[in-house]
Amino acid sequence: MLYAIVAEDRPDSLPARQPARRAHLARLNDLQREGRLLVAGPFPAIDAEDPGPAGFSGSLIIAEFASLDDARAWADADPYVAAGVYAQVFVKPFRKVLPS
């Protein structure tokens, strides 16, 4: 089943994001190689493709996991969690309707 992982950054998270980014992306690349990743990316803190020093306000990951517990465990092990980037992380079941 698909699960949406929606994370909200803590204020001024950009300095914490940068050192953890490589490890964060490596885990997402693993999901992609396994054919389990639907979409992933950050929410820019301002209305711009590249927010520069404004940074990001959070992230969205939609991926396939065996269970809600597995999705939560995967989210809890994210390097951004360990680095203190995220203030909150929500994991919810997701049902893709479109595009079909």
Side-chain angles (χ1 to χ4, degrees), residues 8-100:
E8 295 179 0
D9 280 27
R10 67 171 172 76
D12 302 314
S13 62
L14 190 58
R17 268 181 174 267
Q18 293 168 332
R21 186 171 190 267
R22 186 175 185 173
H24 171 76
L25 291 177
R27 296 177 80 234
L28 291 171
N29 285 326
D30 288 345
L31 286 178
Q32 185 175 17
R33 275 191 294 279
E34 295 165 5
R36 297 170 45 204
L37 183 64
L38 183 64
V39 67
F43 299 115
I46 60 172
D47 188 12
E49 181 74 22
D50 179 358
F56 301 93
S57 64
S59 301
L60 170 66
I61 299 164
I62 302 176
E64 185 178 344
F65 294 92
S67 69
L68 180 57
D69 287 340
D70 286 350
R72 284 185 178 138
W74 189 92
D76 288 345
D78 193 299
Y80 281 174
V81 171
V85 171
Y86 296 147
Q88 295 184 31
V89 178
F90 304 95
V91 181
K92 299 179 178 189
F94 179 80
R95 194 180 98 189
K96 181 180 179 246
V97 174
L98 294 171
S100 53

